[in-house]
Amino acid sequence: MNRVPYTEDHDLSQIKSLDELKEMALACRRCNLRAECTNVVFGEGNPTAGLMLIGEGPGAEEDRLGKPFAGKAGQLLDQILGAVDLDRYEHTYIANVVKCRPPGNRVPRPEEARRCLPWLYRQIELLSPALIVLLGSTALQNLVDPQARITKMRGQWLHSKSGIKIMPTYHPAALLRDPGKKRPVWEDFQMIRDEYLKINNR
Ligand code: URA
């Protein structure tokens, strides 16, 4: 397929496959982040897993490799998943609010997120996960409520209009800064694993 630059008026509901969506996202120039990054980090994992994890945006390592959660926070995420017998490639699909690295790892600006989110929304529609885990406040605020506080909302199941169960929890990078957050995140992931086993009838 030719890489058609994605403009505001593209109707992404016409895109019927994840591969096609990825191809288009890789050609996106909707905000200035693309000019400064190396790779568009579209997302990866098992598209049929039923469990989607959503982070904030790529950092340096993710940008270099074109893969989500490839750096220190990613290693910790793998450990957290491993502690509840989940494997990122087998049991999850991972994506971010923005697909291009904000310079210096700053939080994506609202306008950058607004321009990028249609990719994520269509990705969610195509993957149709039963469960979504929002990693940190950027994911929570962009996908649920701009005023929401992760400290208040983490560890509770929310329900989307389309029936997806959504669990906000702390971002792994927050655990690296504050190890006191490890315990609540571990408890959250136990709930996530229990729900995952239920949806997969195990
Ligand atoms: N932090 C994120 O939010 N996403 C990544 O992919 C890596 C680090």
Side-chain angles (χ1 to χ4, degrees):
M1 186 183 111
N2 289 333
R3 288 196 176 167
V4 184
Y6 172 46
T7 56
E8 196 90 39
D9 50 10
H10 252 102
D11 178 4
L12 295 183
S13 65
Q14 302 303 308
I15 309 298
K16 301 293 180 206
S17 83
L18 210 56
D19 285 345
E20 202 184 330
L21 190 72
K22 178 173 180 179
E23 183 114 21
M24 285 185 74
L26 296 191
C28 178
R29 295 283 183 283
R30 291 198 61 201
C31 78
N32 291 334
L33 291 180
R34 184 66 187 98
E36 293 197 53
C37 74
T38 304
N39 280 301
V40 177
V41 180
F42 180 72
E44 68 172 17
N46 178 353
T48 63
L51 169 58
M52 188 171 182
L53 309 184
I54 301 177
E56 176 176 297
E61 199 57 6
E62 290 77 19
D63 183 43
R64 193 174 72 77
L65 299 170
K67 293 155 71 79
F69 283 94
K72 283 208 172 103
Q75 286 168 16
L76 183 54
L77 180 62
D78 289 346
Q79 283 174 23
I80 296 166
L81 289 169
V84 292
D85 294 323
L86 295 175
D87 172 81
R88 80 146 82 183
Y89 295 105
E90 189 182 347
H91 303 116
T92 82
Y93 185 96
I94 308 183
N96 284 303
V97 169
V98 292
K99 301 199 180 301
C100 292
R101 182 191 183 207
N105 294 349
R106 64 168 169 73
V107 175
R109 297 189 174 122
E111 181 60 13
E112 292 160 352
R114 190 185 71 75
R115 285 175 178 261
C116 200
L117 277 168
W119 297 115
L120 182 63
Y121 289 143
R122 188 66 188 139
Q123 216 167 0
I124 295 171
E125 284 170 358
L126 290 170
L127 291 164
S128 186
L131 310 175
I132 292 180
V133 177
L134 301 176
L135 298 167
S137 60
T138 300
L140 174 65
Q141 291 175 350
N142 279 286
L143 286 148
V144 175
D145 173 0
Q147 306 301 326
R149 309 302 298 256
I150 192 72
T151 43
K152 292 229 172 80
M153 305 282 285
R154 61 141 282 274
Q156 302 169 47
W157 287 112
L158 313 172
H159 300 265
S160 82
K161 284 189 197 126
S162 57
I164 304 172
K165 293 185 84 173
I166 302 170
M167 168 76 73
T169 190
Y170 292 124
H171 192 287
L175 276 61
L176 291 170
R177 292 189 295 268
D178 175 6
K181 292 194 166 82
K182 281 189 182 172
R183 171 118 212 139
V185 167
W186 186 66
E187 287 168 4
D188 295 350
F189 269 89
Q190 285 185 313
M191 286 193 273
I192 293 158
R193 188 261 329 269
D194 291 349
E195 205 57 39
Y196 182 83
L197 294 178
K198 259 195 238 164
I199 60 151
N200 284 289
N201 291 323
R202 285 187 219 170

